[in-house]
Amino acid sequence: MILALYCPDIAQNAGTCLRTGACFGVPVHIVEPAGFPVGNAAFRRAGMDYVDAVEWVRHPSFEAFNGWRRSEGRRLVLFTTRGASSYATFRFQPDDVLLFGRESAGVPDAVHACADARLVIPLRPGMRSLNVAVSAGIALAEGLRQTDAFPPLPASP
């Protein structure tokens, strides 16, 4: 499974996603352009030393990212407030790419059109959305749970 961020606006959120990827052993792909300079320094505040423990990949554009994804035969699972299906009823696969849009605007229609699935995390009425890093953590945990891909627990003392 891969966690992907589409043109993230906030370095701290991207850093938190990198930390989540490090803790779960999941690569993180960043689709540029971002709203901040992409690099280790931009992620240090939220990601701390976890940034050194995660595999992360930069893509210069959505076209480059989508070409890579298609060449790998991976499903694109978009998390969006415009989704029609709940993530809780979706059947994840080990090679899925979980894509999250930018904090300010989500993803454009052309990206929606490329997605193999468009999922929503249900919220109480009147609530617009969750923080992108929180959403990514929820979605990734469910995907890993379904595919039995959580890292193993450390041995008991």
Side-chain angles (χ1 to χ4, degrees), residues 62-80:
F62 179 74
E63 292 74 21
F65 165 78
N66 200 41
W68 165 84
R69 189 240 350 147
R70 290 177 64 205
S71 73
E72 293 282 315
R74 293 177 176 268
R75 240 180 6 171
L76 184 61
V77 180
L78 175 64
F79 283 78
T80 170

Side-chain angles (χ1 to χ4, degrees), residues 8-21:
D9 291 321
I10 302 170
Q12 291 85 350
N13 285 340
T16 300
C17 289
L18 288 169
R19 182 176 181 167
T20 300

Side-chain angles (χ1 to χ4, degrees), residues 5 8-19 28-52 54-59:
L5 304 175
D9 291 321
I10 302 170
Q12 291 85 350
N13 285 340
T16 300
C17 289
L18 288 169
R19 182 176 181 167
V28 178
H29 288 227
I30 297 175
V31 179
E32 296 190 67
F36 53 88
V38 175
N40 283 347
F43 300 135
R44 288 280 169 210
R45 186 167 182 197
M48 302 188 316
D49 57 335
Y50 293 87
V51 172
D52 296 330
V54 65
E55 174 190 336
W56 64 282
V57 177
R58 295 167 64 171
H59 297 274

Side-chain angles (χ1 to χ4, degrees), residues 40-148:
N40 283 347
F43 300 135
R44 288 280 169 210
R45 186 167 182 197
M48 302 188 316
D49 57 335
Y50 293 87
V51 172
D52 296 330
V54 65
E55 174 190 336
W56 64 282
V57 177
R58 295 167 64 171
H59 297 274
S61 66
F62 179 74
E63 292 74 21
F65 165 78
N66 200 41
W68 165 84
R69 189 240 350 147
R70 290 177 64 205
S71 73
E72 293 282 315
R74 293 177 176 268
R75 240 180 6 171
L76 184 61
V77 180
L78 175 64
F79 283 78
T80 170
T81 57
R82 295 169 32 198
S85 301
S86 170
Y87 82 102
T89 58
F90 184 74
R91 289 285 148 242
F92 291 92
Q93 297 174 4
D95 289 337
D96 283 344
V97 176
L98 311 184
L99 179 65
F100 295 83
R102 66 184 329 147
E103 295 89 343
S104 63
V107 300
D109 290 340
V111 173
H112 265 269
C114 292
D116 297 298
R118 293 159 204 84
L119 305 180
V120 66
I121 298 172
L123 305 177
R124 290 181 27 219
M127 299 291 107
R128 287 187 315 274
S129 65
L130 292 166
N131 173 283
V132 70
V134 171
S135 296
I138 290 169
L140 187 56
E142 178 61 14
L144 294 173
R145 183 194 70 79
Q146 283 188 24
T147 59
D148 198 27

